[in-house]
Amino acid sequence: MHSIFRVTALAMVCAASLAAHATGEAKNVIFFLGDGMGPVVVTAARFYQGEKLLAAHPGSLQSSEQAALAMQRLPVAGRVKTFSKDSQTTDSAPSMSAYMTGVKMNNEVISMSAETQAYDPAGKQYVRGEESNCPSGNGQPAVTLLELAKGQGRSVGAVSTTRVGHATPAATYAHVCNRNAYNRIAEQSVPGHPHYNQSLRDGVDVLLGGGQRNYLPQSVNPSSKRTDQINLVAAMQAQGYTYVDSGSQLAVLDAGNTRKLLGLFSHSEMAYELDRVQQKKNEPSLTEMTTKALDVLSRNPKGFFLMVEGGRIDHALHGSNAKRALEDTLAFDQAIAGTLAYMEKKDPGLKNTLVVVTADHDHNLVFNGYAKQGNPILGKVVDGSGHLSKAKDGKPYTTLSFGNGGRPGSSAASQVNAEDGGKPWIAPSRGSAGRDDLTQVDTTDDNYLQEVGINLGTPGAETHGGGDVMLFAGGAGAQIFKGTMDNTKVFFKVKQAAGL
């Protein structure tokens, strides 16, 4: 059966069994977080998926717009307000922390009480390099869903394509006043370390992603950000963790004989999906990491809590590189589809499993013009008569652009994509002569950067957006996720559905 139809069947099972799912019946919780995956990203990714399906299976859809993502096949949908305690537009730390703790926090704060400050009175962050210098008395830890699950004897895990200490995964297991204290966050995950988070009891059972720079000392990794010589990987191995650092190692790992699993597959962030595939990097896909995490966690008869993040969606959007953002969104969706199929075999009808999919915040990606059906989502706008649509300046424009962002500057580093072998960015600019003419520009190129309305600096400068985001849910307890809700309310709904 083609995967798209298999996912449809699984979603129908979810919908048919919603009424039978009572509060507290979800002994398994799988929380998917697409970082920065706002509504326009979801829609554009759906169109992009349709293009790919039609290229591989001509005639399988009436048009690319008719495609459906696995997340959108889940039977319950809602909208989430994302503002933080101190800002209309949140950053990832307080938004994910709101989901995990039910507490509204200030920007940059990871799973702490509401009064916690990320900056000192002079406006300086409470970090030194990647070390924490949060003063004592600056807030208290706020209990997380992962900690609650662990306290009930369930297995717990976090998977991400970013560093495992990045804001989203960190919010599940760590507590710190400033998200940039990556070394302290890493230490909180290591049983036996003086800074270990004791609420994790015997430890997070599965932790997969990037971030060797915060776990390995400079004697092992010369580019390490650690300021001591403690090897946190070795310390975790001494506590019974199996450690892997490549996709090939993860693939052959015997989950049946693995009690605890740590996988760090890159120095910093893992590769974008586009680069992972094209450059044949020995890194696992998000689907492969998620499946292996499920292999380990689902052996616990008491159940499990697993958080899975498509973290680099956000990074590509910051860079105004829509193609990589959409590729990573589809990789995220493939992990959702794979998980639904996996859990349907383990738990038919998802009678004991809750699946939640959402985003932590929006971005400034916008959808332009009146393109004809089937027009490439990464292309220039072509109208129903087959003509290029033109702006007031007489020049064509693309369907996708950004409200703000960055352009290559005078520095050599800003002009090339370091993650793609130093290839130059293709970045239309606005000079004294106006917009660059895109007529002969391949806007579907891997390194094309969409036009931006407000130039905030170099690539990477694009900001989050303050709009509401989508939420999709299926399985045990999913019916309570309907409607529009504050991000803090998601915590209480998961807690209720899982009986935590």
Side-chain angles (χ1 to χ4, degrees), residues 13-32:
V13 170
C14 290
S17 58
L18 272 179
H21 292 153
T23 296
E25 287 191 357
K27 72 174 186 178
N28 308 315
V29 176
I30 307 170
F31 193 99
F32 284 95

Side-chain angles (χ1 to χ4, degrees), residues 361-382:
H361 55 75
D362 199 0
H363 268 271
N364 279 286
L365 184 67
V366 295
F367 206 115
N368 300 309
Y370 295 94
K372 66 177 183 177
Q373 280 201 4
N375 197 60
I377 191 63
L378 294 171
K380 295 178 275 287
V381 175
V382 175

Side-chain angles (χ1 to χ4, degrees), residues 70 76 78 112 152 305 312 319 331 342 375 423 477 495:
V76 177
M112 295 286 287
Q152 289 192 355
F305 174 89
R312 301 222 66 194
Y342 183 105
N375 197 60
K423 293 178 182 176
K495 185 174 181 288

Side-chain angles (χ1 to χ4, degrees), residues 7-55:
V7 172
T8 301
L10 294 175
M12 290 175 65
V13 170
C14 290
S17 58
L18 272 179
H21 292 153
T23 296
E25 287 191 357
K27 72 174 186 178
N28 308 315
V29 176
I30 307 170
F31 193 99
F32 284 95
L33 193 289
D35 200 316
M37 190 184 68
V40 174
V41 178
V42 174
T43 302
R46 189 181 85 239
F47 289 14
Y48 192 47
Q49 171 80 313
E51 293 173 29
K52 289 175 175 284
L53 284 171
L54 285 169

Side-chain angles (χ1 to χ4, degrees), residues 368-372 374-383 386-390 395-400 435-445 448 450-451:
N368 300 309
Y370 295 94
K372 66 177 183 177
N375 197 60
I377 191 63
L378 294 171
K380 295 178 275 287
V381 175
V382 175
D383 63 25
H387 298 114
L388 276 176
S389 295
K390 304 289 181 67
K395 300 171 184 177
Y397 57 91
T398 55
T399 302
L400 299 179
R435 297 169 55 237
D436 286 351
D437 189 343
L438 301 181
T439 303
Q440 302 302 320
V441 176
D442 180 7
T443 62
T444 68
D445 189 275
Y448 179 79
Q450 270 63 31
E451 289 184 275

Side-chain angles (χ1 to χ4, degrees), residues 417-485:
N417 183 358
E419 297 193 56
D420 192 16
K423 293 178 182 176
W425 294 118
I426 301 171
S429 62
R430 298 186 182 198
S432 57
R435 297 169 55 237
D436 286 351
D437 189 343
L438 301 181
T439 303
Q440 302 302 320
V441 176
D442 180 7
T443 62
T444 68
D445 189 275
D446 294 351
N447 295 307
Y448 179 79
L449 304 185
Q450 270 63 31
E451 289 184 275
V452 302
I454 301 172
N455 189 343
L456 297 178
T458 54
E462 185 264 356
T463 70
H464 295 172
D468 297 351
V469 297
M470 297 176 174
L471 181 146
F472 310 98
Q479 68 271 24
I480 64 176
F481 289 87
K482 293 180 180 178
T484 299
M485 66 202 81

